[in-house]
């Protein structure tokens, strides 16, 4: 994702320069290909904070032949 964003930024800057726009290096220094807002890097985490149902206790009665 970061690589593609860096390619997109490079393409847009090159297009602006080709159109005769002046691109300030200080402005470029503030652009980062690592987007931190509005993305979920690790997916969506949903926490269920409701109290769970009581656990059903079971017992396993096994008699082993000696």
């Amino acid at each position: 994702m970061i690589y593609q964003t860096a390619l997109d930024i490079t393409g847009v800057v090159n297009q602006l320069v080709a159109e005769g726009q002046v691109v300030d290096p200080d402005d470029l220094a503030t652009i980062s290909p690592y987007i931190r807002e509005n993305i979920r890097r690790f997916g969506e985490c949903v926490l269920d904070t409701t109290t769970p149902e009581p656990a059903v206790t079971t017992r396993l009665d096994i008699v082993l032949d000696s």
Side-chain angles (χ1 to χ4, degrees), residues 26-66:
D26 290 334
D27 291 337
L28 288 178
T30 62
I31 299 174
S32 172
Y34 180 63
I35 301 170
R36 296 177 302 276
E37 294 91 24
N38 300 325
I39 65 165
R40 299 186 192 281
R41 288 179 47 207
F42 303 109
E44 186 171 346
C45 297
V46 178
L47 298 176
D48 183 4
T49 58
T50 59
T51 305
E53 296 291 325
V56 177
T57 55
T58 59
R59 181 180 171 142
L60 182 59
D61 293 323
I62 296 178
V63 178
L64 299 175
D65 293 329
S66 313

